[in-house]
Amino acid sequence: VKAGGVRIVDATAVGVDLSQWPRVIHLKNTSNEGLQQVRALTVVNAMGMEPNLLGVPGEAGPEGYWARGVSNCAVCEGSLYKDKVVAVVGGGDAAVVEADYLADIAKKVLIFIRKDEFRVKNIKAKERLLQKRQVEVVFNTEVRTIEGDGKRVTRIVTLNNKTKDVKKIPVDGVFLAIGSHANTGVLKDQVE
């Protein structure tokens, strides 16, 4: 397919060889198992990011609640939680932004931070967030399990890493604000 001089290939990049000139991109066709190679004078890395996950039961996978109550984007899915209770996991600037956005929509926003303090650069944003009555911060606490009714999230199980107290907390949604990583595996050991 050509549009404006651009050839669009429906395939997944499974490898890149930058040691050759022209560069070689190894592709796997998405409609079958066939492999092909494309040669290019320039390779632009625009593979995006993947959200970091907690790695806890109920988060993702076939039995998990990803996109059924677990998300990493309050702007994308926050409107689904109007007048509901949501959890935000994380203690950095991204968590403050997510929680602030959700505080204008949800009935209650619980922020779970595994350490005993926020790790933010924007102190004013944190202070503004903490003034909102529907926001509650829970320090030294880790989400250990995300549970649901098979269709959506209904609660989380937390562990206070100082007191070792375990709690089951009813929530309607869980927003992860724990960072992301670049989809650069096909470029491993070839670029900094």
Side-chain angles (χ1 to χ4, degrees):
V1 177
K2 289 194 177 200
V6 175
R7 182 174 160 223
I8 300 171
V9 179
D10 186 19
T12 300
V14 294
V16 178
D17 184 352
L18 300 178
S19 67
Q20 297 184 42
W21 182 262
R23 311 300 189 204
V24 178
I25 304 168
H26 302 276
L27 302 172
K28 180 178 180 182
N29 192 311
T30 55
S31 61
N32 63 38
E33 296 299 314
L35 294 175
Q36 68 184 89
Q37 292 183 355
V38 173
R39 296 192 179 278
L41 300 178
T42 303
V43 176
V44 177
N45 174 12
M47 293 182 264
M49 307 286 282
E50 288 292 321
N52 290 338
L53 300 178
L54 296 169
V56 300
E59 179 181 39
E63 303 297 318
Y65 290 96
W66 187 261
R68 296 184 300 148
V70 179
S71 176
N72 70 319
C73 182
V75 172
C76 307
E77 297 181 15
S79 64
L80 301 172
Y81 298 92
K82 182 169 177 51
D83 299 325
K84 298 193 181 226
V85 177
V86 296
V88 173
V89 180
D93 289 302
V96 168
V97 170
E98 296 283 289
D100 187 54
Y101 182 84
L102 289 164
D104 293 333
I105 298 168
K107 174 173 55 177
K108 185 165 191 151
V109 177
L110 300 162
I111 304 171
F112 293 93
I113 301 173
R114 65 184 169 163
K115 304 218 172 173
D116 59 1
E117 64 183 5
F118 280 94
R119 300 172 322 280
V120 296
K121 293 178 183 162
N122 191 338
I123 302 300
K124 287 183 182 181
K126 178 190 83 168
E127 290 171 355
R128 187 175 55 249
L129 172 68
L130 295 178
Q131 291 175 2
K132 295 185 177 189
R133 62 172 175 69
Q134 64 274 41
V135 172
E136 180 183 333
V137 181
V138 185
F139 292 105
N140 301 308
T141 301
E142 302 170 27
V143 173
R144 301 308 293 257
T145 307
I146 299 170
E147 298 179 344
D149 61 9
K151 294 180 183 178
R152 61 181 177 80
V153 169
T154 57
R155 69 182 176 187
I156 56 176
V157 178
T158 63
L159 170 71
N160 182 300
N161 54 37
K162 289 212 175 201
T163 66
K164 304 304 180 201
D165 287 345
V166 174
K167 291 185 179 177
K168 294 182 178 186
I169 302 168
V171 297
D172 299 293
V174 179
F175 289 85
L176 305 178
I178 55 174
S180 57
H181 58 276
N183 291 328
T184 56
V186 297
L187 299 170
K188 185 175 181 183
D189 299 326
Q190 297 188 74
V191 294
E192 289 183 28

